[in-house]
Every structure is written in C-alpha cells, then in structure tokens.
Amino acid sequence: MPAVGGIGPGTGKEYPGNLTLFVTVTCIVAATGGLIFGYDIGISGGVTTMTPFLQKFFRKVWEKKEADKSTNQYCQYDSPTLTMFTSSLYLAALLASLVASTVTRKLGRKLSMLLGGLLFFAGALINGFAKAVWMLIVGRMLLGFGVGFANQSVPLYLSEMAPYRYRGALNIGFQLSITVGILIANVLNYFFAKIKGGWGWRLSLGGAMVPALIITVGSLFLPDTPNSMIERGQTEEAREKLRRIRGIDDVDEEFRDLVAASDASKLVEHPWRNLLQRKYRPHLTMAILIPFFQQLTGINVIMFYAPVLFNTIGFGDDASLMSAVITGVVNVAATLVSIYGVDKWGRRFLFLEGGTQMLICQAVVAACIGAKFGVNGNPGDLPKWYAIVVVLFICIYVSGFAWSWGPLGWLVPSEIFPLEIRSAAQSINVSVNMLFTFAVAQVFLTMLCHLKFGLFLFFAFFVVLMSIFIYFFLPETKGIPIEEMNQVWKSHWYWSRFVEGLDYPNGGVEMGKGGQGSKNV
Ligand code: BGC
C-alpha cells in the first residue's frame, strides 16, 4: 500500500539540465514580485500605531485609545474603520487575481507581473499624498490589484522556469522577497515614526513605490516561460528558450512533455468549469485548503499587528515597533532554512515540523498572556522577563511558519496543477488566500477584544487540523517534474480513486520505476 504521504513510485523521468546563471537571475528578478506584497503586509500595522496618522484619518480611534488608557487592554484598538484600512487591500487583490487568471493564460506570466507593478505604483503614489480617508482607500485598492496580479503570476512563473530538482528553492525566492519586504517595512516604520512633524507615515506609505518600480522594471527584462509560450503558440521560440534556460542542447524530452501538456490544455475551453470535474478534485481541494489553512495559522495577526499586539501586552510605542523588527528578521532568516531544505527534506516534513512548532508556541503565548492579563485585560506591573518570554515564543512561532506554511503555501499549489487548469487554479489559491487574509485582518482586533488570550488557542486548533490534513492528504511533490505531477495522485492512498484510470496526455504512467520520488514519504 502506498505510504500515507503517498507518492510511492517516482515518475521515472529525469530531464537533463543545469541550474544556469540565466535561470537563477531570471528567478531572482521574478521573485522580487513578492516585495510589494511583503512591504504592504509590514507597513500597515506600524502606520496604524503612529499617532499623527491616527489623528489625521482615524481620530475616533485615537481619542478612544487616549481615553481608555487604564481600562481593558484587549480592546483599545478595536475599530472596524481602522481594520478596514488594513484589510481593504485584500478584497481588491481577491478580485484582481480572478482577472489575472485570463491575462496570465492568454498574454503570458510576464505581462501580469508588469501590470501588478504598475498598479501597485499608482496605489503607493496616491497613499503617500493622501489628504482624506477616501484617498487612502482608493490607494489601497490599487495596491491590492497590484498584489493580485503579482501573486497570481510570480509563483507560476518560478515553478515553470525552475529545473524540477531546484523548483522548491527557486520558488521560495518569492516567499523570501515577501519576508524581506515585511522586514524593510518594519525597519522603515521604526525610523519614520520618529520624524518630527508627524509626516513619517507619508514616507512609509509612499515608500511602496520603490518595490513597485523594482518589479515593474524587472518584468520588462524577463523572458516568458516556455510553458506559457507554447500555450500561446510560439512553439519554436519556446524550444530555443528552453535550451537557453537549461543550458543544454538536448531538451527534447522535456520539450515534448511541455507540448503534450499544452495540447491537453488546448482541449479545455472552460478552465473554471473544468476545475469542478472529478479528476481535478485533489487539485481543487488543495487550491482551497492550503491557502485557507495558511491564513488560519494566525500568522498575519503577528505580521499586521505585531506593534499593536506588543503595545497591547504592555510594551511602549518604540519597543513595539522594535519587536516587530525582531520578528521580521526571524521571518527572513527562517525562510532561508526552507530554501536550503525544501528540495532535500521535502514538503511534508517541513509542513509537519512547522505545524508542531507553531502549536507549542501558541499554547505558551496563550498561557503567558492569560496568566498576566486574565480575562479583564488588566496586567498590573509586567516584569521584564515576561516580555522576553512572550517575544521569544512569538519568534519561535514565526520561524516555524517561515519554513513551512509560509513558503509552501505558495510553492505547493503552484507545482501541483496540470497546465490546463494551472492559471485558473492558481487564481483560486490566491483569492482564497486573500479572502482569509482579509477575514483575519478584519476580525482580529475584535476577536482579541472578545476572545482575549483564547485567540491564540483558536488558531492553535486550526494548526492541529491542518497538520492532520497534511499528514493524510498531501502527497510529497519534491523532485517530481511539474508536467509529471499526476503520478503523485495516482499512487496516493486516497486521491488515486479520483484520478485512477484516467489517461492524462502529460502524465507519466510507468508505475514501479524508482525515481527520486520513491525515497520520500
Ligand atoms: C503569507 C502572508 C504572510 C507572510 C508572512 C506569506 O506566505 O501569504 O499572508 O503575511 O507569508 O511572511
């Protein structure tokens, strides 16, 4: 019987090819698409703790916060308008990712990235010069459109470009640039908050123009992926491009499979409706549940609101922004671990290890906050060691996420979809991600106010669920060529019933050959 992790025999295919400088540079440039997403995640939480910003746009929140000083700490930031500022972006991203599916499929991955950069640039410009709340909201919607396009196209681009043996590492370049974006934003907030005259928030918000320019200009120089070129009928150019990318002349086998995948995809007229077919059940399930679970780890409670959270548990304004910088550094460093390990240890190992680590930390943080703040939110004097323990466990939690659900939440969906549904399925992945990013951002401050320390247990519950799900239902995908992925479902204990007997034009069906896959569970 196949192992629970379920890949059993490998596909038997091993395309030749090197990790060329060309593909490395190309992937690094494309991965910078994550910067815009990351910058935004990191910037909004800090900006919403800046007093001049609150006074100008959200006066009521500021007045409440001032008046509330001595009462319940859990509720001091609870304001739907303020959370709307943070979360409106994700609704826009959700819509954009649906449109992006067609652009990415019909016009190529590169054009989607370019559009993403331009829209984001426009949003940053409006936000930097904002004079009224409506300008903030319009700006954030444009930023959201940008994120929707970039997140739809960049992960696909990376997974298609990368030689399959390095696909994990190259794809995680996207997550790395998300984390770098978050960190830069945290550091900038820390310094800009100190600017006399109180206009530092303009620099924080307008600063988003820099990452936007990087991806906009970068995408102009990027080649499109061979998969996408073939899909759009540029077959001969695609073969040349593949030679260049792989650094060898003999790319025939891989090329043939790309063409077969593309032929199969041409038969599909309605990629969206198609997704509902039984044979795509495993793919659809992953496209929905992976991003759902990624957000239900609760990571964005830390990413968006670390300064607010640290403020709530008794840190001063400055210390709160500083702690956000510390978690930002941990986030980047731990992502590097994932880049190193993902193609060695596999996806399942990282998912399960990361899940366990997050669970332990959530329990400890809940206990710490519960012990001091109780249910009435009045901590009394907080000793220094207490703050250190909380920050330490939040850091361990962040690192657990950063080498598991963070990168894998983008990598795994981008590598498991067959070409004919890839673009549509990736849009589902992005929109579910954005929907729950929105939901968490929107309800977190209210939940903190009502659930108090129990909030951390709420997310811990989902971490248990998602780990069980991974253990039983996610097959290992390391070392499997992207257009050969059907094999992992065919030999999975559960999913095989959905795909068995189906003749995928692009699926390797030679069972029993031990490829690299057979070593993983
Ligand atoms: C998630 C974001 C999160 C970030 C943290 C990403 O993979 O999609 O929601 O804020 O990781 O590093």
PDB file of all heavy atoms in Angstrom, residues 37-38 41-42 90 151 174-175 178-180 182 291 294-295 299-300 303-304 331-332 335 398 401-402 405-410 433-434 437, ligand 1:
ATOM      1  N   PHE A  37       4.030  42.724  -2.028  1.00  0.00           N
ATOM      2  CA  PHE A  37       3.096  42.099  -1.090  1.00  0.00           C
ATOM      3  C   PHE A  37       3.640  42.239   0.338  1.00  0.00           C
ATOM      4  O   PHE A  37       2.950  42.686   1.258  1.00  0.00           O
ATOM      5  CB  PHE A  37       2.946  40.631  -1.509  1.00  0.00           C
ATOM      6  CG  PHE A  37       1.997  39.814  -0.688  1.00  0.00           C
ATOM      7  CD1 PHE A  37       0.802  40.348  -0.224  1.00  0.00           C
ATOM      8  CD2 PHE A  37       2.276  38.478  -0.409  1.00  0.00           C
ATOM      9  CE1 PHE A  37      -0.086  39.565   0.514  1.00  0.00           C
ATOM     10  CE2 PHE A  37       1.399  37.688   0.318  1.00  0.00           C
ATOM     11  CZ  PHE A  37       0.222  38.233   0.790  1.00  0.00           C
ATOM     12  N   GLY A  38       4.905  41.878   0.478  1.00  0.00           N
ATOM     13  CA  GLY A  38       5.520  41.923   1.807  1.00  0.00           C
ATOM     14  C   GLY A  38       5.571  43.327   2.376  1.00  0.00           C
ATOM     15  O   GLY A  38       5.248  43.552   3.548  1.00  0.00           O
ATOM     16  N   ILE A  41       2.247  44.196   3.732  1.00  0.00           N
ATOM     17  CA  ILE A  41       1.877  43.487   4.966  1.00  0.00           C
ATOM     18  C   ILE A  41       2.548  44.158   6.157  1.00  0.00           C
ATOM     19  O   ILE A  41       1.950  44.395   7.203  1.00  0.00           O
ATOM     20  CB  ILE A  41       2.329  42.011   4.888  1.00  0.00           C
ATOM     21  CG1 ILE A  41       1.533  41.266   3.818  1.00  0.00           C
ATOM     22  CG2 ILE A  41       2.176  41.328   6.240  1.00  0.00           C
ATOM     23  CD1 ILE A  41       2.091  39.895   3.477  1.00  0.00           C
ATOM     24  N   GLY A  42       3.833  44.491   5.969  1.00  0.00           N
ATOM     25  CA  GLY A  42       4.600  45.039   7.091  1.00  0.00           C
ATOM     26  C   GLY A  42       4.274  46.485   7.414  1.00  0.00           C
ATOM     27  O   GLY A  42       4.385  46.919   8.556  1.00  0.00           O
ATOM     28  N   TYR A  90      -6.948  43.491   0.580  1.00  0.00           N
ATOM     29  CA  TYR A  90      -7.022  42.072   0.246  1.00  0.00           C
ATOM     30  C   TYR A  90      -8.282  41.720  -0.520  1.00  0.00           C
ATOM     31  O   TYR A  90      -8.296  40.770  -1.301  1.00  0.00           O
ATOM     32  CB  TYR A  90      -6.820  41.238   1.529  1.00  0.00           C
ATOM     33  CG  TYR A  90      -5.455  41.555   2.069  1.00  0.00           C
ATOM     34  CD1 TYR A  90      -5.273  42.521   3.044  1.00  0.00           C
ATOM     35  CD2 TYR A  90      -4.320  40.994   1.488  1.00  0.00           C
ATOM     36  CE1 TYR A  90      -4.012  42.890   3.457  1.00  0.00           C
ATOM     37  CE2 TYR A  90      -3.058  41.354   1.891  1.00  0.00           C
ATOM     38  CZ  TYR A  90      -2.909  42.304   2.874  1.00  0.00           C
ATOM     39  OH  TYR A  90      -1.657  42.676   3.251  1.00  0.00           O
ATOM     40  N   ASN A 151       0.799  38.083  -7.280  1.00  0.00           N
ATOM     41  CA  ASN A 151       0.751  36.794  -6.590  1.00  0.00           C
ATOM     42  C   ASN A 151       0.179  35.696  -7.470  1.00  0.00           C
ATOM     43  O   ASN A 151       0.418  34.515  -7.243  1.00  0.00           O
ATOM     44  CB  ASN A 151      -0.087  36.900  -5.314  1.00  0.00           C
ATOM     45  CG  ASN A 151       0.658  37.614  -4.226  1.00  0.00           C
ATOM     46  OD1 ASN A 151       1.602  38.341  -4.503  1.00  0.00           O
ATOM     47  ND2 ASN A 151       0.251  37.434  -3.001  1.00  0.00           N
ATOM     48  N   PHE A 174      10.234  33.686  -3.922  1.00  0.00           N
ATOM     49  CA  PHE A 174       9.045  34.557  -3.821  1.00  0.00           C
ATOM     50  C   PHE A 174       8.740  34.862  -2.353  1.00  0.00           C
ATOM     51  O   PHE A 174       8.591  36.014  -1.957  1.00  0.00           O
ATOM     52  CB  PHE A 174       7.857  33.862  -4.490  1.00  0.00           C
ATOM     53  CG  PHE A 174       6.553  34.603  -4.382  1.00  0.00           C
ATOM     54  CD1 PHE A 174       6.378  35.856  -4.957  1.00  0.00           C
ATOM     55  CD2 PHE A 174       5.477  34.041  -3.704  1.00  0.00           C
ATOM     56  CE1 PHE A 174       5.158  36.531  -4.864  1.00  0.00           C
ATOM     57  CE2 PHE A 174       4.259  34.707  -3.604  1.00  0.00           C
ATOM     58  CZ  PHE A 174       4.104  35.954  -4.181  1.00  0.00           C
ATOM     59  N   GLN A 175       8.683  33.796  -1.554  1.00  0.00           N
ATOM     60  CA  GLN A 175       8.383  33.998  -0.129  1.00  0.00           C
ATOM     61  C   GLN A 175       9.510  34.795   0.536  1.00  0.00           C
ATOM     62  O   GLN A 175       9.265  35.629   1.394  1.00  0.00           O
ATOM     63  CB  GLN A 175       8.207  32.639   0.566  1.00  0.00           C
ATOM     64  CG  GLN A 175       8.016  32.712   2.073  1.00  0.00           C
ATOM     65  CD  GLN A 175       6.656  33.255   2.471  1.00  0.00           C
ATOM     66  OE1 GLN A 175       5.750  33.347   1.649  1.00  0.00           O
ATOM     67  NE2 GLN A 175       6.502  33.636   3.728  1.00  0.00           N
ATOM     68  N   ILE A 178       8.900  38.248  -0.034  1.00  0.00           N
ATOM     69  CA  ILE A 178       7.790  38.722   0.816  1.00  0.00           C
ATOM     70  C   ILE A 178       8.342  39.093   2.200  1.00  0.00           C
ATOM     71  O   ILE A 178       8.076  40.170   2.735  1.00  0.00           O
ATOM     72  CB  ILE A 178       6.695  37.635   0.990  1.00  0.00           C
ATOM     73  CG1 ILE A 178       6.032  37.299  -0.347  1.00  0.00           C
ATOM     74  CG2 ILE A 178       5.644  38.078   2.009  1.00  0.00           C
ATOM     75  CD1 ILE A 178       4.958  36.218  -0.272  1.00  0.00           C
ATOM     76  N   THR A 179       9.153  38.180   2.739  1.00  0.00           N
ATOM     77  CA  THR A 179       9.642  38.426   4.110  1.00  0.00           C
ATOM     78  C   THR A 179      10.607  39.613   4.147  1.00  0.00           C
ATOM     79  O   THR A 179      10.617  40.377   5.106  1.00  0.00           O
ATOM     80  CB  THR A 179      10.334  37.174   4.703  1.00  0.00           C
ATOM     81  OG1 THR A 179      11.428  36.806   3.864  1.00  0.00           O
ATOM     82  CG2 THR A 179       9.391  36.012   4.829  1.00  0.00           C
ATOM     83  N   VAL A 180      11.410  39.763   3.083  1.00  0.00           N
ATOM     84  CA  VAL A 180      12.312  40.926   3.041  1.00  0.00           C
ATOM     85  C   VAL A 180      11.480  42.200   2.968  1.00  0.00           C
ATOM     86  O   VAL A 180      11.756  43.195   3.652  1.00  0.00           O
ATOM     87  CB  VAL A 180      13.277  40.824   1.833  1.00  0.00           C
ATOM     88  CG1 VAL A 180      14.043  42.132   1.632  1.00  0.00           C
ATOM     89  CG2 VAL A 180      14.262  39.672   2.032  1.00  0.00           C
ATOM     90  N   ILE A 182       8.507  42.642   4.181  1.00  0.00           N
ATOM     91  CA  ILE A 182       7.922  42.891   5.508  1.00  0.00           C
ATOM     92  C   ILE A 182       8.974  43.531   6.424  1.00  0.00           C
ATOM     93  O   ILE A 182       8.717  44.517   7.112  1.00  0.00           O
ATOM     94  CB  ILE A 182       7.415  41.574   6.144  1.00  0.00           C
ATOM     95  CG1 ILE A 182       6.292  40.965   5.307  1.00  0.00           C
ATOM     96  CG2 ILE A 182       6.946  41.818   7.574  1.00  0.00           C
ATOM     97  CD1 ILE A 182       5.786  39.612   5.801  1.00  0.00           C
ATOM     98  N   PRO A 291      -4.319  27.533   1.027  1.00  0.00           N
ATOM     99  CA  PRO A 291      -4.314  28.951   1.440  1.00  0.00           C
ATOM    100  C   PRO A 291      -5.199  29.221   2.655  1.00  0.00           C
ATOM    101  O   PRO A 291      -4.864  30.056   3.491  1.00  0.00           O
ATOM    102  CB  PRO A 291      -4.868  29.672   0.204  1.00  0.00           C
ATOM    103  CG  PRO A 291      -5.552  28.633  -0.609  1.00  0.00           C
ATOM    104  CD  PRO A 291      -4.842  27.345  -0.339  1.00  0.00           C
ATOM    105  N   GLN A 294      -3.215  28.205   5.535  1.00  0.00           N
ATOM    106  CA  GLN A 294      -2.056  29.102   5.727  1.00  0.00           C
ATOM    107  C   GLN A 294      -2.469  30.327   6.533  1.00  0.00           C
ATOM    108  O   GLN A 294      -1.801  30.760   7.452  1.00  0.00           O
ATOM    109  CB  GLN A 294      -1.466  29.553   4.382  1.00  0.00           C
ATOM    110  CG  GLN A 294      -0.142  30.275   4.577  1.00  0.00           C
ATOM    111  CD  GLN A 294       0.200  31.253   3.466  1.00  0.00           C
ATOM    112  OE1 GLN A 294      -0.616  32.063   3.050  1.00  0.00           O
ATOM    113  NE2 GLN A 294       1.423  31.157   2.964  1.00  0.00           N
ATOM    114  N   GLN A 295      -3.619  30.870   6.205  1.00  0.00           N
ATOM    115  CA  GLN A 295      -4.054  32.065   6.923  1.00  0.00           C
ATOM    116  C   GLN A 295      -4.551  31.734   8.330  1.00  0.00           C
ATOM    117  O   GLN A 295      -4.417  32.534   9.238  1.00  0.00           O
ATOM    118  CB  GLN A 295      -5.126  32.807   6.118  1.00  0.00           C
ATOM    119  CG  GLN A 295      -4.563  33.495   4.887  1.00  0.00           C
ATOM    120  CD  GLN A 295      -3.341  34.355   5.206  1.00  0.00           C
ATOM    121  OE1 GLN A 295      -3.338  35.122   6.155  1.00  0.00           O
ATOM    122  NE2 GLN A 295      -2.281  34.215   4.418  1.00  0.00           N
ATOM    123  N   ILE A 299      -0.799  33.728  11.317  1.00  0.00           N
ATOM    124  CA  ILE A 299       0.466  34.448  11.130  1.00  0.00           C
ATOM    125  C   ILE A 299       0.261  35.943  10.955  1.00  0.00           C
ATOM    126  O   ILE A 299       1.043  36.753  11.436  1.00  0.00           O
ATOM    127  CB  ILE A 299       1.251  33.882   9.906  1.00  0.00           C
ATOM    128  CG1 ILE A 299       2.632  34.522   9.798  1.00  0.00           C
ATOM    129  CG2 ILE A 299       0.502  34.074   8.591  1.00  0.00           C
ATOM    130  CD1 ILE A 299       3.562  34.209  10.913  1.00  0.00           C
ATOM    131  N   ASN A 300      -0.817  36.315  10.275  1.00  0.00           N
ATOM    132  CA  ASN A 300      -0.965  37.741   9.991  1.00  0.00           C
ATOM    133  C   ASN A 300      -1.400  38.566  11.188  1.00  0.00           C
ATOM    134  O   ASN A 300      -1.289  39.785  11.184  1.00  0.00           O
ATOM    135  CB  ASN A 300      -1.867  37.963   8.779  1.00  0.00           C
ATOM    136  CG  ASN A 300      -1.059  37.714   7.510  1.00  0.00           C
ATOM    137  OD1 ASN A 300       0.127  38.019   7.474  1.00  0.00           O
ATOM    138  ND2 ASN A 300      -1.674  37.128   6.512  1.00  0.00           N
ATOM    139  N   MET A 303       2.017  39.519  11.750  1.00  0.00           N
ATOM    140  CA  MET A 303       2.597  40.356  10.696  1.00  0.00           C
ATOM    141  C   MET A 303       1.945  41.737  10.622  1.00  0.00           C
ATOM    142  O   MET A 303       2.602  42.740  10.516  1.00  0.00           O
ATOM    143  CB  MET A 303       2.461  39.665   9.335  1.00  0.00           C
ATOM    144  CG  MET A 303       3.308  38.432   9.225  1.00  0.00           C
ATOM    145  SD  MET A 303       5.057  38.834   9.474  1.00  0.00           S
ATOM    146  CE  MET A 303       5.595  37.446  10.425  1.00  0.00           C
ATOM    147  N   PHE A 304       0.610  41.766  10.677  1.00  0.00           N
ATOM    148  CA  PHE A 304      -0.051  43.071  10.577  1.00  0.00           C
ATOM    149  C   PHE A 304       0.024  43.834  11.885  1.00  0.00           C
ATOM    150  O   PHE A 304       0.188  45.033  11.909  1.00  0.00           O
ATOM    151  CB  PHE A 304      -1.557  42.909  10.289  1.00  0.00           C
ATOM    152  CG  PHE A 304      -1.869  42.331   8.955  1.00  0.00           C
ATOM    153  CD1 PHE A 304      -2.948  41.476   8.792  1.00  0.00           C
ATOM    154  CD2 PHE A 304      -1.102  42.652   7.853  1.00  0.00           C
ATOM    155  CE1 PHE A 304      -3.247  40.939   7.557  1.00  0.00           C
ATOM    156  CE2 PHE A 304      -1.411  42.119   6.618  1.00  0.00           C
ATOM    157  CZ  PHE A 304      -2.482  41.258   6.473  1.00  0.00           C
ATOM    158  N   ASN A 331      11.774  36.058  10.580  1.00  0.00           N
ATOM    159  CA  ASN A 331      10.990  35.604   9.430  1.00  0.00           C
ATOM    160  C   ASN A 331      11.885  35.396   8.195  1.00  0.00           C
ATOM    161  O   ASN A 331      11.808  34.370   7.515  1.00  0.00           O
ATOM    162  CB  ASN A 331       9.914  36.672   9.160  1.00  0.00           C
ATOM    163  CG  ASN A 331       8.788  36.176   8.279  1.00  0.00           C
ATOM    164  OD1 ASN A 331       8.631  34.983   8.069  1.00  0.00           O
ATOM    165  ND2 ASN A 331       8.004  37.104   7.753  1.00  0.00           N
ATOM    166  N   VAL A 332      12.765  36.366   7.943  1.00  0.00           N
ATOM    167  CA  VAL A 332      13.661  36.245   6.786  1.00  0.00           C
ATOM    168  C   VAL A 332      14.630  35.080   6.988  1.00  0.00           C
ATOM    169  O   VAL A 332      14.798  34.224   6.106  1.00  0.00           O
ATOM    170  CB  VAL A 332      14.477  37.545   6.570  1.00  0.00           C
ATOM    171  CG1 VAL A 332      15.503  37.356   5.460  1.00  0.00           C
ATOM    172  CG2 VAL A 332      13.550  38.709   6.244  1.00  0.00           C
ATOM    173  N   THR A 335      13.178  31.675   6.542  1.00  0.00           N
ATOM    174  CA  THR A 335      12.831  31.362   5.151  1.00  0.00           C
ATOM    175  C   THR A 335      14.053  30.789   4.432  1.00  0.00           C
ATOM    176  O   THR A 335      13.938  29.909   3.577  1.00  0.00           O
ATOM    177  CB  THR A 335      12.310  32.617   4.438  1.00  0.00           C
ATOM    178  OG1 THR A 335      11.247  33.166   5.214  1.00  0.00           O
ATOM    179  CG2 THR A 335      11.791  32.298   3.051  1.00  0.00           C
ATOM    180  N   VAL A 398       7.032  32.344  14.638  1.00  0.00           N
ATOM    181  CA  VAL A 398       7.230  32.922  13.305  1.00  0.00           C
ATOM    182  C   VAL A 398       8.203  32.071  12.500  1.00  0.00           C
ATOM    183  O   VAL A 398       7.989  31.801  11.311  1.00  0.00           O
ATOM    184  CB  VAL A 398       7.742  34.382  13.411  1.00  0.00           C
ATOM    185  CG1 VAL A 398       8.245  34.890  12.068  1.00  0.00           C
ATOM    186  CG2 VAL A 398       6.637  35.287  13.937  1.00  0.00           C
ATOM    187  N   PHE A 401       6.497  29.027  11.098  1.00  0.00           N
ATOM    188  CA  PHE A 401       5.689  29.366   9.917  1.00  0.00           C
ATOM    189  C   PHE A 401       6.590  29.619   8.717  1.00  0.00           C
ATOM    190  O   PHE A 401       6.308  29.188   7.599  1.00  0.00           O
ATOM    191  CB  PHE A 401       4.846  30.625  10.208  1.00  0.00           C
ATOM    192  CG  PHE A 401       4.069  31.109   9.010  1.00  0.00           C
ATOM    193  CD1 PHE A 401       2.805  30.596   8.733  1.00  0.00           C
ATOM    194  CD2 PHE A 401       4.602  32.068   8.154  1.00  0.00           C
ATOM    195  CE1 PHE A 401       2.088  31.033   7.616  1.00  0.00           C
ATOM    196  CE2 PHE A 401       3.893  32.508   7.036  1.00  0.00           C
ATOM    197  CZ  PHE A 401       2.624  31.988   6.772  1.00  0.00           C
ATOM    198  N   ALA A 402       7.682  30.326   8.962  1.00  0.00           N
ATOM    199  CA  ALA A 402       8.511  30.803   7.848  1.00  0.00           C
ATOM    200  C   ALA A 402       9.248  29.687   7.130  1.00  0.00           C
ATOM    201  O   ALA A 402       9.698  29.874   6.006  1.00  0.00           O
ATOM    202  CB  ALA A 402       9.505  31.855   8.343  1.00  0.00           C
ATOM    203  N   TRP A 405       4.482  26.670   6.401  1.00  0.00           N
ATOM    204  CA  TRP A 405       3.294  27.139   5.710  1.00  0.00           C
ATOM    205  C   TRP A 405       3.520  28.408   4.901  1.00  0.00           C
ATOM    206  O   TRP A 405       2.824  28.638   3.916  1.00  0.00           O
ATOM    207  CB  TRP A 405       2.152  27.337   6.717  1.00  0.00           C
ATOM    208  CG  TRP A 405       1.512  26.031   7.060  1.00  0.00           C
ATOM    209  CD1 TRP A 405       1.864  25.195   8.075  1.00  0.00           C
ATOM    210  CD2 TRP A 405       0.456  25.381   6.353  1.00  0.00           C
ATOM    211  NE1 TRP A 405       1.075  24.063   8.046  1.00  0.00           N
ATOM    212  CE2 TRP A 405       0.197  24.158   7.011  1.00  0.00           C
ATOM    213  CE3 TRP A 405      -0.309  25.714   5.235  1.00  0.00           C
ATOM    214  CZ2 TRP A 405      -0.790  23.269   6.584  1.00  0.00           C
ATOM    215  CZ3 TRP A 405      -1.295  24.833   4.816  1.00  0.00           C
ATOM    216  CH2 TRP A 405      -1.527  23.620   5.482  1.00  0.00           C
ATOM    217  N   GLY A 406       4.458  29.238   5.316  1.00  0.00           N
ATOM    218  CA  GLY A 406       4.708  30.472   4.571  1.00  0.00           C
ATOM    219  C   GLY A 406       5.081  30.175   3.128  1.00  0.00           C
ATOM    220  O   GLY A 406       4.308  30.403   2.189  1.00  0.00           O
ATOM    221  N   PRO A 407       6.287  29.620   2.918  1.00  0.00           N
ATOM    222  CA  PRO A 407       6.699  29.349   1.544  1.00  0.00           C
ATOM    223  C   PRO A 407       5.887  28.252   0.864  1.00  0.00           C
ATOM    224  O   PRO A 407       5.546  28.349  -0.315  1.00  0.00           O
ATOM    225  CB  PRO A 407       8.157  28.904   1.694  1.00  0.00           C
ATOM    226  CG  PRO A 407       8.342  28.560   3.127  1.00  0.00           C
ATOM    227  CD  PRO A 407       7.351  29.367   3.895  1.00  0.00           C
ATOM    228  N   LEU A 408       5.549  27.205   1.626  1.00  0.00           N
ATOM    229  CA  LEU A 408       4.876  26.070   0.988  1.00  0.00           C
ATOM    230  C   LEU A 408       3.447  26.418   0.582  1.00  0.00           C
ATOM    231  O   LEU A 408       2.900  25.835  -0.355  1.00  0.00           O
ATOM    232  CB  LEU A 408       4.890  24.862   1.927  1.00  0.00           C
ATOM    233  CG  LEU A 408       6.297  24.417   2.343  1.00  0.00           C
ATOM    234  CD1 LEU A 408       6.227  23.249   3.312  1.00  0.00           C
ATOM    235  CD2 LEU A 408       7.144  24.043   1.136  1.00  0.00           C
ATOM    236  N   GLY A 409       2.877  27.372   1.263  1.00  0.00           N
ATOM    237  CA  GLY A 409       1.539  27.824   0.902  1.00  0.00           C
ATOM    238  C   GLY A 409       1.508  28.416  -0.499  1.00  0.00           C
ATOM    239  O   GLY A 409       0.460  28.464  -1.147  1.00  0.00           O
ATOM    240  N   TRP A 410       2.643  28.859  -0.969  1.00  0.00           N
ATOM    241  CA  TRP A 410       2.713  29.362  -2.353  1.00  0.00           C
ATOM    242  C   TRP A 410       3.338  28.336  -3.289  1.00  0.00           C
ATOM    243  O   TRP A 410       2.958  28.202  -4.446  1.00  0.00           O
ATOM    244  CB  TRP A 410       3.506  30.679  -2.412  1.00  0.00           C
ATOM    245  CG  TRP A 410       2.792  31.752  -1.664  1.00  0.00           C
ATOM    246  CD1 TRP A 410       3.102  32.248  -0.432  1.00  0.00           C
ATOM    247  CD2 TRP A 410       1.586  32.429  -2.067  1.00  0.00           C
ATOM    248  NE1 TRP A 410       2.176  33.191  -0.046  1.00  0.00           N
ATOM    249  CE2 TRP A 410       1.241  33.324  -1.025  1.00  0.00           C
ATOM    250  CE3 TRP A 410       0.762  32.359  -3.195  1.00  0.00           C
ATOM    251  CZ2 TRP A 410       0.104  34.145  -1.093  1.00  0.00           C
ATOM    252  CZ3 TRP A 410      -0.363  33.175  -3.261  1.00  0.00           C
ATOM    253  CH2 TRP A 410      -0.678  34.058  -2.220  1.00  0.00           C
ATOM    254  N   ASN A 433      -6.588  32.745  -0.432  1.00  0.00           N
ATOM    255  CA  ASN A 433      -5.589  33.329   0.465  1.00  0.00           C
ATOM    256  C   ASN A 433      -5.982  34.753   0.855  1.00  0.00           C
ATOM    257  O   ASN A 433      -5.992  35.123   2.032  1.00  0.00           O
ATOM    258  CB  ASN A 433      -4.216  33.306  -0.219  1.00  0.00           C
ATOM    259  CG  ASN A 433      -3.089  33.526   0.763  1.00  0.00           C
ATOM    260  OD1 ASN A 433      -3.085  34.516   1.482  1.00  0.00           O
ATOM    261  ND2 ASN A 433      -2.134  32.607   0.796  1.00  0.00           N
ATOM    262  N   MET A 434      -6.350  35.536  -0.158  1.00  0.00           N
ATOM    263  CA  MET A 434      -6.678  36.938   0.107  1.00  0.00           C
ATOM    264  C   MET A 434      -7.954  37.056   0.942  1.00  0.00           C
ATOM    265  O   MET A 434      -8.058  37.904   1.816  1.00  0.00           O
ATOM    266  CB  MET A 434      -6.863  37.699  -1.214  1.00  0.00           C
ATOM    267  CG  MET A 434      -5.585  37.807  -2.015  1.00  0.00           C
ATOM    268  SD  MET A 434      -4.290  38.596  -1.061  1.00  0.00           S
ATOM    269  CE  MET A 434      -2.860  37.670  -1.557  1.00  0.00           C
ATOM    270  N   THR A 437      -6.949  36.276   4.389  1.00  0.00           N
ATOM    271  CA  THR A 437      -6.081  37.338   4.910  1.00  0.00           C
ATOM    272  C   THR A 437      -6.980  38.499   5.318  1.00  0.00           C
ATOM    273  O   THR A 437      -6.843  39.086   6.387  1.00  0.00           O
ATOM    274  CB  THR A 437      -5.094  37.827   3.824  1.00  0.00           C
ATOM    275  OG1 THR A 437      -4.413  36.695   3.292  1.00  0.00           O
ATOM    276  CG2 THR A 437      -4.079  38.792   4.395  1.00  0.00           C
TER     277      THR A 437
HETATM  278  C1  BGC B   1       1.556  34.766   3.592  1.00  0.00           C
HETATM  279  C2  BGC B   1       1.263  36.092   4.176  1.00  0.00           C
HETATM  280  C3  BGC B   1       2.139  36.309   5.388  1.00  0.00           C
HETATM  281  C4  BGC B   1       3.593  36.129   5.034  1.00  0.00           C
HETATM  282  C5  BGC B   1       4.472  36.237   6.246  1.00  0.00           C
HETATM  283  C6  BGC B   1       3.008  34.673   3.265  1.00  0.00           C
HETATM  284  O1  BGC B   1       3.280  33.435   2.741  1.00  0.00           O
HETATM  285  O2  BGC B   1       0.772  34.564   2.434  1.00  0.00           O
HETATM  286  O3  BGC B   1      -0.094  36.183   4.490  1.00  0.00           O
HETATM  287  O4  BGC B   1       1.961  37.583   5.903  1.00  0.00           O
HETATM  288  O5  BGC B   1       3.785  34.886   4.422  1.00  0.00           O
HETATM  289  O6  BGC B   1       5.822  36.082   5.950  1.00  0.00           O
END
